[in-house]
């Protein structure tokens, strides 16, 4: 190669040997088989782990949205109950109910004796 530049020309051909399609006649060592088994097992469990985390995240998001909706409905119910309480304890309603029951407001001459 005495000072000559080597020119590499790309080709369309690509040769790839697939690990799964080995000839039955070709022997594989136990060490390589164990490595391949461990890698495949790791990838399988990693896939399962990602799936479980995805489902857990989706479930927690569902619970969060459900709680937000419940909170909003409870706040609305609380506001309506406060309005009803204010109406029932208003002076006009209390005076009307007192007249129906025959009650009258206390006067200055009225005395209460507590024993």
């Amino acid at each position: 190669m005495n000072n000559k530049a080597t020119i590499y020309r790309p080709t369309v051909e690509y040769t790839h040997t697939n690990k799964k399609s080995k000839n039955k006649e070709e022997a594989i060592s136990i060490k390589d088989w164990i490595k391949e088994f461990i890698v495949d097992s790791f990838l399988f469990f990693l896939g399962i782990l990602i799936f479980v985390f995805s489902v857990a995240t989706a479930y927690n998001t569902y619970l969060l949205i459900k709680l937000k909706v419940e909170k909003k409905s409870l706040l609305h119910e609380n506001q309506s109950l406060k309005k009803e309480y204010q109406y029932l304890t208003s002076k006009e309603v209390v005076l009307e109910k007192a007249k129906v029951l025959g009650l009258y407001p206390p006067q200055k001459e009225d005395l209460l004796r507590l024993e």
Side-chain angles (χ1 to χ4, degrees):
M1 292 228 246
N2 300 326
N3 295 329
K4 290 186 177 181
T6 308
I7 300 173
Y8 292 103
R9 295 192 176 125
T11 61
V12 179
E13 296 178 15
Y14 177 71
T15 56
H16 181 278
T17 56
N18 191 359
K19 290 183 180 180
K20 302 293 181 184
S21 64
K22 291 184 179 179
N23 295 336
K24 291 182 180 180
E25 300 168 358
E26 191 175 318
I28 184 169
S29 68
I30 290 289
K31 186 177 181 180
D32 291 337
W33 183 83
I34 291 174
K35 284 180 184 178
E36 189 174 320
F37 178 77
I38 289 174
V39 168
D40 290 345
S41 300
F42 176 74
L43 291 175
F44 176 74
F45 287 121
L46 185 64
I48 290 176
L49 187 66
I50 290 172
F51 175 75
V52 167
F53 281 140
S54 300
V55 170
T57 304
Y59 181 70
N60 287 337
T61 304
Y62 166 75
L63 288 179
L64 180 65
I65 292 172
K66 184 179 173 183
L67 287 175
K68 284 183 179 182
V69 168
E70 187 177 353
K71 177 186 173 186
K72 188 175 181 179
S73 68
L74 287 174
L75 286 174
H76 180 68
E77 184 181 353
N78 189 19
Q79 288 177 350
S80 64
L81 288 174
K82 281 182 181 180
K83 286 180 183 179
E84 185 180 352
Y85 172 76
Q86 288 174 352
Y87 169 74
L88 291 174
T89 58
S90 67
K91 189 175 183 179
E92 296 83 20
V93 174
V94 171
L95 287 175
E96 185 179 314
K97 288 184 180 182
K99 285 180 185 177
V100 170
L101 294 173
L103 301 173
Y104 59 92
Q107 304 296 324
K108 287 186 177 181
E109 299 89 28
D110 292 341
L111 243 190
L112 293 175
R113 186 172 175 184
L114 301 174
E115 293 182 18

